[in-house]
Amino acid sequence: MNLSTLLLIILAGSAVAYFIGYTRSQQIAKPIGGVRNLATLPTYYASMMTLWALIPALLLVFFWSVLDGSIIDSLVKSSFPEEAKQFSEENLGLIMSQVSNVASGIGSIDVLGQEYAPAVDRLVSLTAISQRAMPLLAVCVLVLGALMGFRAVRATNNARYTVEKIFNVALFVCSSIAIFTTFGIVFSVLFESIHFFQKVPFFDFLLGTHWSPQIAIRADQAGASGSFGVIPLIVGTLLISLIALLIAVPVGLMSAIYLSEYATSKTRSIVKPMLEILAGVPTVVYGFFAALTVAPAIRQYGDKLRDWGADNDIGWLANLAVSSESALAAGIVMGVMIIPFVSSLSDDVINAVPQSLRDGSYGLGATQSETIKKVIFPAALPGIVGGVLLAASRAIGETMIVVMAAGLAANLTVNPLEAVTTVTVQIVTLLVGDQEFDSAKTLAAFALGLFLFVITLALNVIALKVVKRYREQYD
Amino acid sequence: MNTAQQSMAEIVKETYQTVGLPLLDDPKMRVRNANVFYADKQAIFDVNLDIGKNQVISMIGPSGCGKSTFLRCLNRMNDTIDICRVEGDLLLEDQDMYDKKIDVVELRARVGMVFQKPNPFPKSIYENVAYGARIHGLTDNKVQLDELVETSLIRCGLWKEVKDRLNEPATGLSGGQQQRLCIARAIAVNPEVILMDEPCSALDPIATATVEELIHELSQNFTICIVTHSMQQAARVSQRTAYFHLGKLIEVNDTSQVFTNPEHQLTEAYITGRIG
Ligand SMILES: Nc1ncnc2c1ncn2[C@@H]1O[C@H](COP(=O)(O)OP(=O)(O)O)[C@@H](O)[C@H]1O
Ligand SMILES: [Mg+2]
């Protein structure tokens, strides 16, 4: 029996339990003078009985499915031949997967050797047992639970509290899933980063100015031992994000001001959704737009400027060099991408400025633009800053555009016309190659990830703090 | 609408003709045949009223009768509401306020406004009072500006309370102090008329008393129009009282006359508490 059939059976069983609980509660209600003399409504008794039946059975199925693999594994390993006891973890894992291949009919026992035959047999029989036992047990638990629930259907038992409590717990569990996932990710990244810092000293990473993660794959290979200075990546990230913000903040803010203060409601209802379409364009589309349109255009203009500089003897201009992949191109396009972030968040906070402040200003004879400059903008500023910080953390985390338009060269430069690279791009390139999983190169990706996480987390925390302070001002 | 209200509405319709003395010699402001519409809905019907120089006139009437709407016509604050349309002649010292050539900004500097809920800007106390002076360029240097801020605050009786905390945020003041600050902010521009829309309705009795006293003092130099829900307040602060009902100006008279011997039966019904 497969899992989905089992789940269907369990659901059907709980439905039956609901029905029984409902009927039963009405039954007890009759002799004592009707439903109003029960501690609570029949539906609550029915729900309670359903939950009694459903939850233990589901828990059983869940834990069985999660644990059964590893329990069977360890049982099977115990019937490996003596010599296998000395193998390393990884080798054991390899053998185990070969064993399970053989057990499911792929490959032949000859490759492994006859001494593994008992293990294969054991695996086959254990799997069979497990597969038969689980549904049986689950149904037993279902029925037992339903019985317990049935006994709890009493006129004096307020099933409502039980049901409420269970829902409480269920809601709590759901919300903790998100939290635990976050913690899980953070810790796994953290542990891998610790491995990395065992190979590369922390301060070499944090303060190093040279990034070239090429590591000799074979010990005898010529080549670098790799250097993992993160500074060029930070500078590249910040440079591109800065350019993006220089584009997005003025444009986004101005359009927010236009939309919330000047536009008629009709214009607003058309323009606002159109602006938000920008946020829906996949970043890879922005990426090739940057790489194929913006970067070459910048390069062309740069070349023209250089020629013009050379003709007119303007020394520095004559030496202008625009690389075909540039921080400028990536930054501009990324800026366009985050315009809707800035504009829609700013629009919200500008709208949240109470009308009474506008009235106060107009009442003193201020014009609309004076009112915006001197009252609305300052009042909305903390919220706008919050929005900008959120947009900044979006920019810092953005990868696709940079991969396509800014290049991979880890130059330590603040010249927007040169190719630079960012933290996220390096993570991608570190992981797409064929590498051992525990090489410094692969682990570096985790360290970069942790680093990025800390930066964006800090930005988000600051943004939330700022936004919160702003809220307190009017409420 | 219950039957009592309905019959009131009929009275208004049939006998509409402002009673009392709506017109004055040499007034500060003149309103003739004013009609105000929100989209298609008419909120003010054919109002004729003069507002006397350096006097306090109070406007009373049930909620929704158009007091605020009328008041906001007097400095064109209704311009900020898209759907609002004002017809008729509204003159400030013989100058048509709704003339195309009139600069609204300048008009509002001459006719200031104080609102129901204190609405200090989220800036320092000093910056709040200096706001109008800055946008209209009333002072040439910091010394003059300091002086203006000080005199405005002194006139509002707020100076003693705030002189050591001028650079603190105005939102930290109490409600009554905030409202007096808003009045100081309005008089710092040296307007000729001050419009006040229920300036005390968000204040406690003690703060109310302070603000009323302030209004009384200001009336020596300013023309003041005040909308109020409290008839006692109207009686205390104003020389004339105008009673509005369903968008119509029913009666205007000297305050004492209105409260002791109302001419119109609707006015009487209102001040005796039969409509409210
Ligand atoms: N911004 C607006 N848009 C549409 N109708 C409005 C608006 N402001 C006020 N009104 C309407 O105009 C009438 C008068 O309102 P208002 O002047 O605020 O009365 P009052 O201040 O006497 O309570 C009311 O019927 C109200 O519904
Ligand atoms: Mg009002």
Side-chain angles (χ1 to χ4, degrees), chain B residues 63-64 66-69 116 197-198 227 229:
Chain B
S63 279
K67 306 181 295 290
S68 301
T69 303
Q116 183 166 0
D197 192 350
E198 300 186 33
V227 168
H229 257 126

Side-chain angles (χ1 to χ4, degrees), chain A residues 55 162-176:
Chain A
I55 291 174
T162 322
V163 174
E164 288 287 321
K165 235 181 235 152
I166 291 175
F167 270 114
N168 235 332
V169 172
L171 294 179
F172 175 75
V173 169
C174 287
S175 59
S176 9

Side-chain angles (χ1 to χ4, degrees), chain A residues 76-77 79-81 99 115-124:
Chain A
V76 170
K77 273 181 197 157
S79 55
F80 278 3
V99 167
E115 64 273 29
Y116 284 97
V120 173
D121 292 343
R122 186 113 193 240
L123 180 58
V124 172

Side-chain angles (χ1 to χ4, degrees), chain A residues 356-357 361-362 364-365 374 473, chain B residues 105 108 119-120 122-123 131 136:
Chain A
S356 67
L357 289 186
S361 177
Y362 294 139
L364 288 169
K374 299 197 164 186
Q473 208 166 356
Chain B
V105 165
R108 292 197 191 129
N119 56 350
K123 299 171 179 283
Y131 185 85
H136 296 297

Side-chain angles (χ1 to χ4, degrees), chain B residues 233-252:
Chain B
Q233 184 170 74
R236 280 193 297 265
V237 301
S238 67
Q239 283 90 51
R240 287 169 83 221
T241 296
Y243 173 69
F244 284 79
H245 192 103
L246 294 178
K248 289 169 178 152
L249 178 57
I250 303 298
E251 176 166 356
V252 188

Side-chain angles (χ1 to χ4, degrees), chain B residues 243-272:
Chain B
Y243 173 69
F244 284 79
H245 192 103
L246 294 178
K248 289 169 178 152
L249 178 57
I250 303 298
E251 176 166 356
V252 188
N253 251 326
D254 285 349
T255 299
S256 54
Q257 167 101 34
V258 171
F259 286 110
T260 53
N261 189 12
E263 279 180 40
H264 199 286
Q265 62 189 103
L266 282 171
T267 318
E268 189 187 352
Y270 181 73
I271 63 173
T272 54

Side-chain angles (χ1 to χ4, degrees), chain A residues 443-468:
Chain A
L443 289 173
F446 286 97
L448 288 180
L450 184 69
F451 187 70
L452 199 62
F453 175 76
V454 170
I455 293 179
T456 46
L457 184 72
L459 270 181
N460 279 329
V461 168
I462 296 172
L464 286 180
K465 275 245 164 72
V466 171
V467 171
K468 196 165 139 207

